[in-house]
Amino acid sequence: MATYKVGSIGEYIREQRKRAKVSLRQLAEATGVSNPYLSQIERGLRKPSAEILQQIAKGLRISAEALYVQAGILDDRDVDTDVQAAIRADVALSERQKQVLLDIYESFRREEGHDGEAAMPMTPPTKGEYR
Amino acid sequence: MATYKVGSIGEYIREQRKRAKVSLRQLAEATGVSNPYLSQIERGLRKPSAEILQQIAKGLRISAEALYVQAGILDDRDVDTDVQAAIRADVALSERQKQVLLDIYESFRREEGHDGEAAMPMTPPTKGEYR
DNA sequence: CAGGAGCGCTTGCAATAGCAAGCAGAGCGA
DNA sequence: TCGCTCTGCTTGCTATTGCAAGCGCTCCTG
């Protein structure tokens, strides 16, 4: 959590865009947001509205919520509880399945803070790579 | 859910305000948003940003997410807690962890299709109740 | 070499968000 | 009656968002 700095929405968007290997112009086309404006957003010169963020998320095929969190308009905690709440609310899952998923999710969260190496030997390098 | 008509954020805010029995000026004070602007929002003359919605939610002591849904910047389904979307949006999880959870979730959904009854006789009625 | 394609960025502008100052109406008390 | 308080709304303004037109750079091809 504390690893992420809310407010660097531009950096985050650029990062996701590079990860997706698309140019600004390609993203502009995919999102319907102008190329210069995307550039300005990435460089922190402009502060996009939620609607623009929504479009960008769609163009990058990522969750709009992740962008909202970065932009500070959605509380990180809300997103956190969403996974647990989502699992609990999913009527397609049996209670046992829910519990399994919740356990795994929670162990992932713990290993995030404590023992990344213990549970998943491959995870640390990937994690470091991600960040 | 279906009771709400996305787009009528102004009506919704007025409704909540009346429910809370506060005047526009009182809400303005509680929210830090100007009284005239609140009036304009309520009457649909202006389209408030997410930040303003956040402030209004705080002033009305309601969930910002509920306002986002009304304003159309957050998908109702997301709030309904779609598991896959929630997992993807969880910034505390690495991409690999997300993938693991998603894979497990999806396999659970598949086994649901096959042996749902066999594994958990209670599941079907609950589903029917939801829908 | 020139030209074209692709890249990200600059600039000026129109539209809109959000505000301060103030208006008009209703209700109440002296 | 008048004055005050409270209410919601009008209006004009500034700051900001998002865009269109275009620039400069790099790389590649004929």
Side-chain angles (χ1 to χ4, degrees), chain B residues 31-103:
Chain B
T31 60
V33 180
S34 78
N35 159 36
Y37 191 52
L38 287 171
S39 173
Q40 287 170 334
I41 292 166
E42 286 190 354
R43 289 172 291 128
L45 299 183
R46 291 283 198 273
K47 181 178 157 190
S49 66
E51 281 78 21
I52 293 289
L53 289 179
Q54 212 170 19
Q55 288 173 281
I56 291 170
K58 191 173 290 186
L60 285 175
R61 295 168 181 253
I62 61 175
S63 155
E65 284 190 337
L67 288 188
Y68 294 161
V69 168
Q70 287 295 319
I73 63 176
L74 196 58
D75 195 348
D76 212 347
R77 287 201 193 146
D78 293 340
V79 180
D80 271 352
T81 65
D82 178 76
V83 172
Q84 289 170 317
I87 289 168
R88 285 196 199 104
D90 193 322
V91 297
L93 298 176
S94 69
E95 290 303 319
R96 177 164 297 190
Q97 287 172 333
K98 287 177 187 179
Q99 197 53 55
V100 170
L101 280 170
L102 287 169
D103 286 347

Side-chain angles (χ1 to χ4, degrees), chain A:
Chain A
M1 290 296 118
T3 310
Y4 295 95
K5 194 170 288 193
V6 173
S8 56
I9 181 66
E11 287 174 23
Y12 186 75
I13 288 171
R14 179 161 284 192
E15 190 184 310
Q16 298 299 318
R17 179 174 64 81
K18 298 221 165 171
R19 183 168 299 176
K21 298 188 195 313
V22 298
S23 69
L24 273 171
R25 279 193 164 94
Q26 288 171 334
L27 184 58
E29 217 175 296
T31 59
V33 179
S34 79
N35 160 34
Y37 191 52
L38 287 171
S39 174
Q40 288 170 332
I41 291 165
E42 287 190 355
R43 289 172 289 129
L45 298 182
R46 291 282 200 272
K47 181 180 158 190
S49 67
E51 282 77 20
I52 294 290
L53 290 179
Q54 211 171 20
Q55 287 173 283
I56 291 170
K58 189 173 291 185
L60 285 174
R61 295 170 181 252
I62 61 176
S63 157
E65 284 189 338
L67 288 189
Y68 294 161
V69 169
Q70 287 294 321
I73 63 175
L74 195 60
D75 196 347
D76 216 345
R77 285 194 195 155
D78 293 340
V79 181
D80 276 350
T81 53
D82 272 357
V83 171
Q84 292 167 318
I87 290 169
R88 288 193 196 104
D90 193 321
V91 296
L93 298 176
S94 69
E95 290 302 316
R96 179 169 299 179
Q97 289 171 333
K98 286 176 187 178
Q99 197 53 56
V100 170
L101 280 170
L102 285 169
D103 287 345
I104 293 166
Y105 174 72
E106 276 152 19
S107 74
F108 279 167
R109 296 299 301 271
R110 275 198 299 270
E111 109 189 0
E112 179 76 12
H114 294 281
D115 305 328
E117 283 165 2
M120 210 161 218
M122 297 286 230
T123 304
T126 308
K127 218 180 341 182
E129 190 182 350
Y130 180 71
R131 303 255 169 95

